[in-house]
Amino acid sequence: MPTCRRKRVLLTQPSQSLLNTLQSDPHKEVYYLAQTGEIFESYESYAARMSFYRLKQFQCEVTGKSGLDYFQALESEQQEARTMHSRFPEPLKSAVLKSVQWQVIGRLDHLVDAVFDRFKDRYYPDERVFVDIQSDKYYARIVQVFPPRPTLAAPNRQASSSSSTISDEENTPIHKIAEDLKTPLADSITRDDPNKYYYKIQILEEDKSAKSGGGNKGKESSKTSKYSGSLMDVRCSDMRYVLLSLNRVCFWSPHVAVLFTLIALIQSRDRLSFSKSILRRFIRECVEREAAVASPWVVKTVIAMRYGVDTVMPEETRISVENLKKGESDKRKKAWEDKEGPPTKKQKKSAVGEEEKGEQERREREEQEREEKAQRAKEESERLAAEKKKKKPVRYPTEDLDIAIGDKEKKAGMKVQKPAPSRIGMPFGTDNETNEAFLMAWNFLVVYGGPLHLSTFTVDEFEQAIRHSQPDIPCALISEVHSTLIYNLRTVPFTRHSAIISLFNSLKDGDIDTFGISTSALIDASRDIGNNWERAPLRLAEGREGWEESLIGCLKDHANLENFPRLREIFIRLLYTSDIQDEAVTAAGSRQATPESRSTPQQFTKRATPKERYHLLSSRDKIAILSFMCNLAVSSKAIHLHMESCEEQLTELRKQKIEVNRAKKQHLEDIAALTGESKEGEKIGDKKTNLNGEDTPIRDSSDLSDAPGSDGETETGSAAPSGRQSARRAQAKERELARAKLASQKQALAETRRLDEEVNKCERRLEQIERDFRKLLGAVRVKPLGRDRFYNRIWWFDGMGSASLIGSGGSVQYGSGRIFVQGPSEHDVEILQRREEDMSARRLAEEGEDGMLGVGEWAVYDELETIDEFVAWLNPKGVRELALKTSIAKWWQHIAPGIRRRQADLAQASNVKGQEASSSRRSARQKHTGSDTSREPYMTWTNRRAVNAS
């Protein structure tokens, strides 16, 4: 059985409710895991169990291999079991299993030792053994086993022996006394001595024989062929693994029969087939035992039936096992009484009363005493835990909600109340469902811009493109996004006309009218639109002409009322129009009326084309379409290949990060060594200066050459020049040392500067690796920056996938330019509600009424001052907020410039609109129709990654 964290993985049993359902509804659909045979009632439990099995945290119990998933570990164990069963001698299996059945031995090791000692010198028919004949080793097979004979001369029995005697020997059971482990080993040898057994062996062929220890290859081959197929009788001696016999061995040929007398020694079984290790594995695979004390080892039922092992415990064995259990129980009871002291008079009197009142009353009293004792133990443990909790100091970081803000933190500048994030600052206000779908769609399109062949764009540009509603000015961003998704969904399997089929099936409940259009009319209207969407060219040079009809065809083949519930309403809005709405649009004139600012018409009367109607869809409908298409595109082949490529690149980046950190550490150690040597040299120089008192002036060599004295002077007069020469040499030596020291210091300084530059390069490389890691990780899984104390998730979407944080020339780039806050999930809310304190009051005090986000609610921080206040509110003593604060600090050098850049872009756009408005007021004769939409950033966006440019 595979193990996980040193514990065996137990299979999931069907719940009692599912078993009850089997009786009432035997045709109920369930989820079946074929590899393990487990049955699950819901897909969520099935998927969770399968995900658990796919984790690389399992270990093969036999080989000890780790880092495997469950199925790999199970296959490894099964392979080892097959190998073990193929190696272990087949004739020995039945005897070993019969000997271990019903044995009460505590440890498996002791059981293995007992079995090994019994069978190490006992052999069974058809076993393979090594034999030694005249100092040559051969591989032989035991043909027949004879029980002990009356005399040693039995091998040389006369030919007059009757056939009935031989038949009796063949039918006599062998090694029966040894198979009973209850019989002591010495007694079993005395009653059934293995050394008195006779064995008839047959020398096997050459390719099965063992290689001899001496002689050349030719001699071995000739000797093996000489004895191949020969039969001989041997008898076990007192030596270990040795069977000795003087035999008459007959070698027959077509012309002559020759008799030889040989000494045959059976050395041993093959160690690969019989040893303590393989015996232990065999027994462990075949037996099991209950957890109760003094429980016997029992052979598994299936294996017992295969090898003829009795599965019914004999009455004598059962009685002995019960006696053993009772004895062990009495020992433990006696030990407990010795520990607790002798029974009191009251206990003795109650014992007498128990005998009189009966067994039932005794059990009730024991149960009551046990409950009282458990209650006292619980109260004592609670008391000790409370005392321990009082004495034990709190170690930080700890659970965030266990931390109370004190006066010390308030004096240090920690905010008591969190700054409220803006709900109206979200792209679509308080419509949380639309906001979440919008952010998901934008993140998908930007992260997978590479495989989708789509250039990056900001959240603001995407929002303005969604709100674009002018039919006469096409938006390239909208057409490119839909076209690239349509191209991608051509590779995803679909069902032709699945939407039409779904609408047709809904007619069984009646022909429903929606906005004045019946389901049958809608089916007729959409039947012939976009049928060839997977072959439409959608060329870039033609402005992706026809993408609206292709969108209808794509939805017809991929969507249905189950996976896209708003299919009916959206199809009606794309295929029908209303006179009332057209008049409203005409009356709007030059004003850029958005779909949100107009009331949705309730009745549609006339047919229209998707190209005419798409720009009039509400933002909610447009985002619903894009969100549905993005969810389908995740399963495409291009996205899967991209994710696998990102996984490989992440592995490579991890290796590079380790190498760069190692190089940086080595450079820092070298700098420390150079700095230490420089300081040590300066200390030595200072010591020399202090010993000399003051620096000795260095004379010029010309002054020394003019000193008096010559070769003709007397011995007394020549003493002065020799002293000056020694001083001159000492000064020259000092100058040389000073020059060497100065050169060494310059060299050390240059080396230190070089190493500092290498350290800076390593740090820049690590920063680049972190940015690349974020880009690649965003393509595999999107993670928030962290969570605060109330489980609100903090999101920053910039720098993921195909988006970059730094542009060409080091310019700042941003995608969202803000930090989003998502409310806690339902599971997180349950955790908050399980706490003893009133979390609503605490959230109101620490978050404020405006800052409390519910499940699924979104808000945003888009100003640096507010984000600074939020970071100051985070308490680093909590586990979650410490991790969140660390993550924000790690990426702050990119978060802050992105927010500033977005605010600057918004201010610049606002100034441009103001100038246009003022110029229009100055021109009285010119009729101005509002700001020039074509100059908006979202309208000037171009797709530089497009591949279908023809």
Side-chain angles (χ1 to χ4, degrees), residues 382-394:
E382 290 177 355
R383 184 184 62 81
L384 294 175
E387 293 179 357
K388 189 175 181 182
K389 189 174 182 180
K390 291 180 182 178
K391 297 178 181 178
K392 186 178 179 181
V394 180

Side-chain angles (χ1 to χ4, degrees), residues 44 81 262 349 360 512:
E44 289 74 14
L262 300 174
K349 186 176 180 180
Q360 184 65 26
I512 303 174

Side-chain angles (χ1 to χ4, degrees), residues 452-473:
L452 293 176
H453 306 291
L454 193 66
S455 298
T456 59
F457 46 87
T458 65
V459 171
D460 296 321
E461 293 171 349
F462 191 45
E463 176 190 353
Q464 293 170 0
I466 292 292
R467 295 181 184 275
H468 181 78
S469 60
Q470 296 183 5
D472 54 339
I473 305 177

Side-chain angles (χ1 to χ4, degrees), residues 39-160:
I39 299 175
F40 302 92
E41 192 170 3
S42 63
Y43 177 77
E44 289 74 14
S45 57
Y46 167 83
R49 193 65 175 177
M50 179 61 77
S51 301
F52 171 68
Y53 284 150
R54 291 297 183 188
L55 295 176
K56 300 287 186 179
Q57 62 180 13
F58 294 91
Q59 184 178 16
C60 174
E61 192 176 20
V62 179
T63 62
K65 293 179 182 178
S66 58
L68 309 174
D69 62 28
Y70 179 83
F71 304 112
Q72 291 173 343
L74 186 63
E75 176 61 26
S76 176
E77 291 185 358
Q78 292 174 352
Q79 179 62 33
E80 290 297 323
R82 287 191 292 267
T83 303
M84 183 271 297
H85 279 287
S86 63
R87 288 180 177 176
F88 195 80
E90 189 68 26
L92 204 58
K93 291 180 180 179
S94 177
V96 170
L97 294 177
K98 290 178 181 178
S99 65
V100 301
Q101 181 75 315
W102 317 122
Q103 295 300 319
V104 184
I105 298 178
R107 292 174 56 90
L108 181 62
D109 295 336
H110 299 163
L111 181 64
V112 171
D113 292 340
V115 174
F116 183 80
D117 292 338
R118 291 299 178 96
F119 291 96
K120 66 181 180 180
D121 51 2
R122 297 180 184 273
Y123 302 90
Y124 289 79
D126 205 34
E127 277 199 77
R128 268 62 172 174
V129 293
F130 288 113
V131 297
D132 193 327
I133 302 177
Q134 295 183 352
S135 300
D136 290 326
K137 185 184 292 186
Y138 297 92
Y139 199 53
R141 180 177 69 90
I142 296 178
V143 178
Q144 195 171 0
V145 180
F146 300 99
R149 300 174 183 175
T151 61
L152 273 173
N156 298 323
R157 59 189 182 276
Q158 302 298 325
S160 59

Side-chain angles (χ1 to χ4, degrees), residues 47 100 164 193 260 292 305 317 331 349 360 373-374 390 568 606 609-610 683 685 736 742 771 814 840 892 922:
V100 301
S164 61
D193 192 352
F260 294 92
M305 294 176 62
T317 305
K331 287 182 182 178
K349 186 176 180 180
Q360 184 65 26
K373 188 174 182 181
K390 291 180 182 178
R568 192 195 311 268
K606 296 190 300 183
T609 62
K683 289 181 180 179
E736 187 67 27
L742 183 60
R771 291 195 295 270
Y814 69 92
S840 298
W892 184 250
R922 287 192 301 267

Side-chain angles (χ1 to χ4, degrees), residues 15 79 133 318 452 458 487 493 550 574 587 645 757 900 902:
S15 62
Q79 179 62 33
I133 302 177
R318 186 185 62 79
L452 293 176
T458 65
Y487 271 115
S550 296
L574 285 173
S645 174
E757 182 62 28
R900 294 193 192 97
R902 175 177 179 269

Side-chain angles (χ1 to χ4, degrees), residues 591-604:
R591 185 177 66 87
Q592 185 177 348
T594 61
E596 290 81 353
S597 64
R598 301 189 297 267
S599 60
T600 303
Q602 296 299 320
Q603 297 294 325
F604 291 86

Side-chain angles (χ1 to χ4, degrees), residues 534-811:
E534 69 273 16
R535 290 187 293 273
L538 304 182
R539 295 184 177 90
L540 177 65
E542 299 175 358
R544 307 295 187 184
E545 183 68 25
W547 69 265
E548 295 90 349
E549 287 75 12
S550 296
L551 173 63
I552 294 291
C554 179
L555 292 177
K556 280 169 56 178
D557 289 348
H558 282 284
N560 53 59
L561 292 176
E562 293 182 359
N563 60 15
F564 194 29
R566 303 188 60 209
L567 175 68
R568 192 195 311 268
E569 292 82 359
I570 290 177
F571 266 28
I572 291 174
R573 289 190 174 99
L574 285 173
L575 299 176
Y576 287 89
T577 185
S578 172
D579 293 336
I580 298 175
Q581 188 183 27
D582 294 340
E583 292 174 0
V585 174
T586 305
S590 62
R591 185 177 66 87
Q592 185 177 348
T594 61
E596 290 81 353
S597 64
R598 301 189 297 267
S599 60
T600 303
Q602 296 299 320
Q603 297 294 325
F604 291 86
T605 57
K606 296 190 300 183
R607 292 277 296 272
T609 62
K611 185 176 181 179
E612 298 171 349
R613 295 293 304 163
Y614 180 83
H615 65 279
L616 295 175
L617 286 178
S618 65
S619 299
R620 184 166 176 260
D621 292 336
K622 293 178 183 179
I623 292 172
I625 294 172
L626 287 173
S627 176
F628 173 74
M629 297 176 74
C630 291
N631 286 330
L632 290 178
V634 172
S635 60
S636 65
K637 186 176 180 180
I639 301 299
H640 277 196
L641 291 176
H642 181 69
M643 293 174 68
E644 292 175 359
S645 174
C646 290
E647 288 282 6
E648 295 175 359
Q649 295 179 57
L650 284 172
T651 303
E652 185 64 28
L653 281 180
R654 292 186 183 99
K655 295 178 182 178
Q656 293 181 15
K657 185 176 181 180
I658 293 173
E659 294 175 358
V660 174
N661 279 323
R662 187 182 294 116
K664 178 183 176 182
K665 182 180 178 182
Q666 183 63 41
H667 294 329
L668 292 175
E669 291 177 355
D670 295 342
I671 291 175
L674 289 174
T675 306
E677 292 177 0
S678 176
K679 290 182 179 180
E680 186 177 354
E682 291 177 0
K683 289 181 180 179
I684 294 174
D686 294 342
K687 287 181 180 179
K688 288 184 177 180
T689 304
N690 293 334
L691 290 174
N692 294 333
E694 57 184 16
D695 295 341
T696 303
I698 302 176
R699 298 183 181 181
D700 191 9
S701 59
S702 60
D703 297 338
L704 297 176
S705 62
D706 296 337
S710 61
D711 296 339
E713 292 181 346
T714 60
E715 184 178 350
T716 305
S718 62
S722 63
R724 285 193 295 270
Q725 290 178 0
S726 63
R728 187 167 57 226
R729 285 195 295 271
Q731 292 172 358
K733 188 174 181 181
E734 289 178 0
R735 287 196 299 273
E736 187 67 27
L737 291 174
R739 293 192 193 97
K741 179 181 177 181
L742 183 60
S744 176
Q745 290 177 351
K746 289 182 178 180
Q747 184 178 1
L749 182 61
E751 183 66 16
T752 303
R753 290 175 179 173
R754 186 188 70 81
L755 292 174
D756 283 337
E757 182 62 28
E758 291 294 331
V759 171
N760 293 333
K761 288 181 180 178
C762 291
E763 291 177 349
R764 290 194 295 271
R765 177 57 184 155
L766 288 174
E767 292 177 0
Q768 181 63 39
I769 288 175
E770 288 294 335
R771 291 195 295 270
D772 294 342
F773 198 90
R774 177 176 174 82
K775 292 176 64 175
L776 296 172
L777 188 63
V780 179
R781 64 187 70 89
V782 182
K783 292 184 177 181
L785 289 174
R787 298 183 296 176
D788 64 9
R789 69 192 68 167
F790 299 113
Y791 296 97
N792 296 308
R793 279 165 285 187
I794 313 300
W795 295 92
W796 180 56
F797 295 106
D798 295 3
M800 292 183 180
S802 62
S804 299
L805 293 171
I806 299 177
S808 59
S811 61

